[in-house]
């Protein structure tokens, strides 16, 4: 059974591809509301006139062939497109579609002389289809307007002179001039000393973000004050915004289990309905004394209309699409509706410390070197060695020690996972890392790490312990609120970090995190997550999505913080939080829970109403009018319920 109004991107010139998306939703964006409803308006007016001639205006001529012809004209504007869709579906191997159900139900009504009811069923079905198409289009448009903020044209500086050019044609390395209030069309590096930007299109955050010379600025950001210059660093198609837009538009290809079940169910359910309708028509002949073919055929036709599973195959994908849209509006990219279902059932959130619950901006607090070592010289060596890595600690040391002395030659530089760095200088070994690294090389030291709350960076040279630096990182302002919110959602929290245990315990205690483990290597983090999974508990891992790739792969859902900083993050994680705010973690879980609630409300509503009216219809107590409500009415109610999520505050 196909989706009445698919939310998947259309393939050009191929309306009936794998999922058989039908034409009711095609080009909805490009048509006026009046034009969309025009066939239904024509049909409705002709139907009202026909009913008036039948019931309220006395006449002798509105009967026979003329009456049939009148109702046929009323039927054609709304019925012909549906019959055409039924024919196309059959041609593509999908015999039992909702178009087929509606076609045989209304043609059958005409066959037994119930012309007004045949027209009415198709009229209301078509009106429902237009509303459905409009709802899907609105959901897609909201996301597209939110994300596709790139201007088509930009101002490029050529020999110092501004020139307007198509954004797609601008090359890497060219310089863009950005006026106050203008949107940036391409990713780049800020050349001006300072500029403030509105980043809400990317992060959902309305607070201005101030950038300084050399910092990265992204397509979709709006320049708020003075004129700025930006050097282009990525082609139009490779911008972060392009990747994000593509990700969201393709999100519906990852189907939730509920959605997949409904699709499979519909494929089995629809042919059963058709054969039951045939049974309702002919089987009573063998059991009923005063069997009347016309009466039982009418009941079967009512049964067919009621049984159309439109409400399910439309409202469920629309509910999930609305959840993905709600996430996008709040700066949370959800890569598929299946992840919304997983989020709704998450029992544990396991998080990294640095950059997730803390700012990830380290500062050197203390320097303790033993006597007999040249402090300035050692710091210069450490600064050069740390420049070989991208870890935030390296930035802190660089900020403290100053410019890197490129005349210093290091040999055999090696990064030891979870421990630190090793190199040779002046033919002697230099070690910079945690105390595990110092122990591994059998170097004795006289430091009691348990008494130091800050992160400790130990240094050894020529097999001797030099001393240590202490580095501190500040906790994010909404981190504690995040943990409280997760607890209110009955989600357990665990912190895993390669940082030393005393630091991790201090952060965990401050925030109220239930379980915390420090001094972990990447494989230790994997083992901790395996322990949770062994208890049959679902796990979401929150980190940077790159360094913790094994843990992300093992967890039920991987959530990456600060997705704007890394293409790899967008590709690796299942969910990307575009700003660095931890509060988006419980928000994402809440969006998942609300989406699931709405989807199940729609499933229960559809089955309950259809079940009642099917029973009445089979017993001859329901007419086509009740059937119309059970089909189109329930579908519209389900759609209205599904679009609610797009207006919710989280």
């Amino acid at each position: 059974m196909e989706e009445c109004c698919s939310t998947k991107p259309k393939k050009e010139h191929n309306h009936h591809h794998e999922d058989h998306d039908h034409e009711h939703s095609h080009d909805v964006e490009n048509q006026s509301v009046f034009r969309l409803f025009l066939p239904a308006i024509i049909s409705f007016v002709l139907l009202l006139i026909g009913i008036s001639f039948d019931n309220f205006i006395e006449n002798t001529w509105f009967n026979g062939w003329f009456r049939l012809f009148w109702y046929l004209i009323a039927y054609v504007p709304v019925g012909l497109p549906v019959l055409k869709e039924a024919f196309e579906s059959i041609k593509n191997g999908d015999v039992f579609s909702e178009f087929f159900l509606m076609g045989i139900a209304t043609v059958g009504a005409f066959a037994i002389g119930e012309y007004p009811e045949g027209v009415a069923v198709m009229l209301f079905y078509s009106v429902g289809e237009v509303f459905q198409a409009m709802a899907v289009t609105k959901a897609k448009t909201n996301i597209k307007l939110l994300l596709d903020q790139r201007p088509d044209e930009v101002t490029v500086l050529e020999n110092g002179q501004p020139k307007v050019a198509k954004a797609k044609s601008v090359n890497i390395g060219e310089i863009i001039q950005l006026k106050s209030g203008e949107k940036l069309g391409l990713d780049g590096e800020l050349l001006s000393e300072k500029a403030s930007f509105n980043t809400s299109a990317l992060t959902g955050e309305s607070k201005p973000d101030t950038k300084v010379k050399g910092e990265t600025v992204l397509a979709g950001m709006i320049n708020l004050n003075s004129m700025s210059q930006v050097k282009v660093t990525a082609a139009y198609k490779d911008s972060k915004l392009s990747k994000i837009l593509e990700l969201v538009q393709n999100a519906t290809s990852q189907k939730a289990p509920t959605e997949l079940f409904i699709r499979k169910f519909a494929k089995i359910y629809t042919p059963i309905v058709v054969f039951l309708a045939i049974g309702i028509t002919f089987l009573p002949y063998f059991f009923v004394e005063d069997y009347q073919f016309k009466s039982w055929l009418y009941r079967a036709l009512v049964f067919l209309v009621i049984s159309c599973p439109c409400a399910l195959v439309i409202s469920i994908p629309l509910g999930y699409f609305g959840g993905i849209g709600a996430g996008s509006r709040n700066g949370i990219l959800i890569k598929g509706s299946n992840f919304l279902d997983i989020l709704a059932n998450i029992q544990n959130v396991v998080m990294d410390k640095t950059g997730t619950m803390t700012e990830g901006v380290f500062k050197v607090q203390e320097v303790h070197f033993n006597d007999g070592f040249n402090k300035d010289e050692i710091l210069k060596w450490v600064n050069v060695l740390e420049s070989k890595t991208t870890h935030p600690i390296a930035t802190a040391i660089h900020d403290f020690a100053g410019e890197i002395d490129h005349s210093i030659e290091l040999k055999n530089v090696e990064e030891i996972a979870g421990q630190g760095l090793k190199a040779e200088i002046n033919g002697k070994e230099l070690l910079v890392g945690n105390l595990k690294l110092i122990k591994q090389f059998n170097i004795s030291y006289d430091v009691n790490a348990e008494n130091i709350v800050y992160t400790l960076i130990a240094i050894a040279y020529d097999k001797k312990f030099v001393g240590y630096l202490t580095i501190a990182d500040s906790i994010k302002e909404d981190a504690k609120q995040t943990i409280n919110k997760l607890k209110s959602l009955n989600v357990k929290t665990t912190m895993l970090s390669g940082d030393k245990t005393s630091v991790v315990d201090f952060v965990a205690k401050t925030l109220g995190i239930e379980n915390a483990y420090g001094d972990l290597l990447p494989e230790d983090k994997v083992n901790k997550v395996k322990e949770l999974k062994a208890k049959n508990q679902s796990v979401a891992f929150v980190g940077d999505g790159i360094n913790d790739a094994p843990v992300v792969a093992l967890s039920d859902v991987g959530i990456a913080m600060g997705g704007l900083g890394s293409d790899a993050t967008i590709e690796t994680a299942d969910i990307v939080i575009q700003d660095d705010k931890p509060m988006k973690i419980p928000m994402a879980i809440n969006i998942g829970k609300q989406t699931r609630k709405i989807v199940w409300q729609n499933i229960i509503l559809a089955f309950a109403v259809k079940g009642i009216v099917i029973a009445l219809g089979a017993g001859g107590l329901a007419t086509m009018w009740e059937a119309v409500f059970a089909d189109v009415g329930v579908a519209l109610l389900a759609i209205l319920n599904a679009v609610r999520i797009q207006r919710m505050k989280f």
Side-chain angles (χ1 to χ4, degrees):
M1 184 66 177
E2 63 210 52
E3 292 182 13
C4 289
C5 295
S6 174
T7 54
K8 294 175 76 171
K10 306 290 181 230
K11 293 182 183 177
E12 221 174 317
H13 307 305
N14 185 14
H15 296 325
H16 294 274
H17 52 85
E18 236 175 83
D19 288 321
H20 306 309
D21 299 324
H22 72 66
E23 293 170 6
H24 286 237
S25 61
H26 294 177
D27 302 320
V28 170
E29 294 168 73
N30 303 322
Q31 296 184 37
S32 67
V33 174
F34 177 75
R35 191 177 162 196
L36 284 169
F37 282 102
L38 185 59
I41 292 168
I42 293 168
S43 181
F44 181 63
V45 170
L46 291 172
L47 176 63
L48 281 183
I49 293 170
I51 290 171
S52 298
F53 284 142
D54 274 339
N55 299 289
F56 305 112
I57 301 171
E58 287 187 21
N59 64 81
T60 54
W61 48 270
F62 193 70
N63 51 46
W65 285 104
F66 183 79
R67 183 170 179 265
L68 171 62
F69 182 69
W70 183 274
Y71 281 116
L72 274 175
I73 293 172
Y75 180 84
V76 165
V78 289
L80 200 60
V82 177
L83 295 177
K84 184 185 170 190
E85 287 287 353
F87 176 73
E88 290 288 335
S89 295
I90 292 167
K91 209 165 72 171
N92 282 285
D94 183 15
V95 177
F96 298 105
S97 65
E98 80 269 20
F99 313 117
F100 178 72
L101 288 185
M102 284 296 152
I104 59 173
T106 53
V107 169
F110 267 82
I112 60 173
E114 302 290 347
Y115 310 145
E117 293 185 0
V119 175
V121 167
M122 196 60 86
L123 168 64
F124 289 117
Y125 175 73
S126 298
V127 169
E129 286 287 279
V130 174
F131 277 120
Q132 290 157 11
M134 286 171 68
V136 172
T137 302
K138 186 174 187 296
K140 291 169 75 175
T141 304
N142 283 348
I143 292 172
K144 196 164 183 178
L145 287 174
L146 179 76
L147 291 173
D148 200 8
Q149 298 280 338
R150 300 159 299 183
D152 294 328
E153 295 180 335
V154 294
T155 304
V156 180
L157 290 179
E158 283 189 8
N159 301 320
Q161 296 299 314
K163 180 188 170 186
V164 175
K166 291 283 183 188
K168 288 181 181 177
S169 67
V170 176
N171 298 315
I172 293 171
E174 291 192 64
I175 295 170
I176 295 173
Q177 184 172 279
L178 201 62
K179 296 174 195 165
S180 177
E182 193 176 0
K183 283 177 189 168
L184 182 58
L186 298 137
D187 292 359
E189 178 188 321
L190 185 65
L191 297 180
S192 305
E193 290 300 322
K194 197 176 182 183
S196 287
F197 292 90
N198 178 339
T199 64
S200 58
L202 296 164
T203 65
E205 176 59 61
S206 57
K207 187 179 173 185
D209 188 4
T210 301
K211 302 286 184 184
V212 295
K213 186 174 181 177
E215 286 195 315
T216 300
V217 286
L218 303 172
M221 290 183 174
I222 302 170
N223 186 22
L224 292 177
N225 37 41
S226 56
M227 189 177 287
S228 305
Q229 290 184 1
V230 175
K231 181 181 175 183
V232 177
T233 56
Y236 185 82
K237 65 182 176 65
D238 296 325
S239 71
K240 292 286 190 304
L241 198 54
S242 296
K243 291 176 187 292
I244 292 165
L245 178 62
E246 184 184 351
L247 183 150
V248 175
Q249 287 183 325
N250 293 335
T252 47
S253 63
Q254 298 263 26
K255 301 294 180 189
T258 314
E259 202 170 344
L260 291 171
F261 167 75
I262 290 297
R263 281 187 167 193
K264 288 175 185 173
F265 169 79
K267 284 185 177 178
I268 299 164
Y269 165 86
T270 313
I272 290 171
V273 162
V274 172
F275 290 118
L276 283 174
I278 294 168
I280 289 169
T281 307
F282 296 106
L283 287 178
Y285 175 79
F286 301 101
F287 304 103
V288 178
E289 285 184 17
D290 57 341
Y291 171 80
Q292 290 182 333
F293 173 76
K294 183 178 175 181
S295 171
W296 286 100
L297 176 60
Y298 181 77
R299 291 185 189 189
L301 297 176
V302 169
F303 175 77
L304 279 178
V305 174
I306 297 164
S307 302
C308 182
C310 260
L312 294 172
V313 295
I314 275 294
S315 64
I316 290 169
L318 184 58
Y320 282 114
F321 199 79
I324 291 167
S328 300
R329 195 171 63 249
N330 288 286
I332 303 166
L333 298 183
I334 300 163
K335 287 192 178 179
S337 51
N338 53 329
F339 298 119
L340 282 167
D341 267 8
I342 295 168
L343 281 172
N345 294 306
I346 281 296
Q347 294 164 288
N348 295 274
V349 168
V350 178
M351 61 203 79
D352 190 22
K353 178 181 73 70
T354 307
T356 302
M357 303 311 285
T358 64
E359 296 288 354
V361 180
F362 289 89
K363 288 185 180 176
V364 173
Q365 305 295 315
E366 306 163 303
V367 179
H368 290 277
F369 281 7
N370 293 332
D371 294 336
F373 293 98
N374 185 325
K375 178 180 173 182
D376 293 336
E377 187 177 39
I378 297 284
L379 275 175
K380 282 182 181 178
W381 296 349
V382 171
N383 197 14
V384 174
L385 181 54
E386 286 288 345
S387 70
K388 308 297 181 187
T389 180
T390 56
H391 197 281
I393 284 172
T395 308
I397 290 171
H398 173 66
D399 290 342
F400 181 77
E403 289 300 314
I404 294 164
D405 188 344
H406 295 287
S407 66
I408 296 170
E409 284 189 34
L410 297 178
K411 293 179 182 176
N412 302 323
V413 175
E414 183 185 343
E415 185 164 356
I416 299 164
Q419 294 186 11
L421 297 162
K422 170 178 167 283
E424 278 183 28
I425 184 165
N426 302 328
K428 294 172 183 176
E429 191 176 71
L430 175 67
L431 301 172
V432 180
N434 55 30
L435 290 174
K436 281 185 186 175
L437 180 70
I438 306 301
K439 278 182 192 172
Q440 186 180 320
F441 285 86
N442 299 315
I443 296 167
S444 61
Y445 58 89
D446 55 355
V447 177
N448 185 354
E450 290 181 9
N451 296 332
I452 301 169
V453 174
Y454 300 139
T455 301
L456 186 145
I457 309 298
I459 303 161
Y461 176 63
D462 191 21
K463 302 293 181 185
K464 293 171 189 159
F465 184 66
V466 174
Y468 63 89
L469 308 171
T470 59
I471 289 174
D473 183 15
S474 55
I475 295 170
K476 290 183 179 176
E477 61 180 59
D478 60 340
K480 188 167 179 60
Q481 187 186 353
T482 298
I483 302 303
N484 291 339
K485 183 67 178 172
L486 286 170
K487 285 180 179 177
S488 73
L489 292 168
N490 295 318
V491 176
K492 296 172 189 169
T493 53
T494 303
M495 181 180 281
L496 305 179
S497 179
D499 210 342
K500 70 174 192 171
T501 301
S502 59
V503 175
V504 177
D505 287 343
F506 173 74
V507 173
K509 190 177 177 183
T510 304
L511 297 178
I513 293 171
E514 294 161 61
N515 303 300
Y517 305 92
D519 292 310
L520 299 178
L521 296 171
E523 56 267 32
D524 296 328
K525 291 184 180 181
V526 168
N527 291 332
K528 289 293 181 188
V529 172
K530 279 182 178 175
E531 285 174 23
L532 285 172
K533 298 269 288 180
K535 298 174 186 173
N536 291 321
Q537 293 186 2
S538 55
V539 178
F541 181 81
V542 190
D544 61 14
I546 305 163
N547 300 337
D548 296 306
V551 200
V552 169
L554 182 64
S555 61
D556 295 288
V557 59
I559 304 175
M561 298 293 283
L564 290 182
S566 165
D567 286 344
T569 303
I570 291 174
E571 289 163 20
T572 306
D574 305 314
I575 291 166
V576 181
I577 293 173
Q578 290 176 259
D579 50 22
D580 280 328
K581 294 194 171 179
M583 267 305 288
K584 297 290 175 74
I585 302 166
M587 184 185 286
I589 293 171
N590 198 20
I591 288 171
K593 287 183 182 293
Q594 293 302 325
T595 303
R596 183 182 62 179
K597 189 188 291 183
I598 281 172
V599 164
W600 278 102
Q601 283 171 353
N602 285 346
I603 290 170
I604 293 163
L605 172 72
F607 277 118
V609 174
K610 283 180 182 288
I612 293 165
V613 183
I614 281 173
L616 293 172
L621 300 172
T623 67
M624 280 282 187
W625 302 107
E626 283 86 359
V628 168
F629 171 74
D631 177 45
V632 180
V634 170
L636 287 175
L637 286 173
I639 288 160
L640 289 171
N641 192 35
V643 297
R644 267 195 317 127
I645 196 164
Q646 295 177 53
R647 295 184 173 86
M648 284 183 181
K649 299 279 184 190
F650 295 99

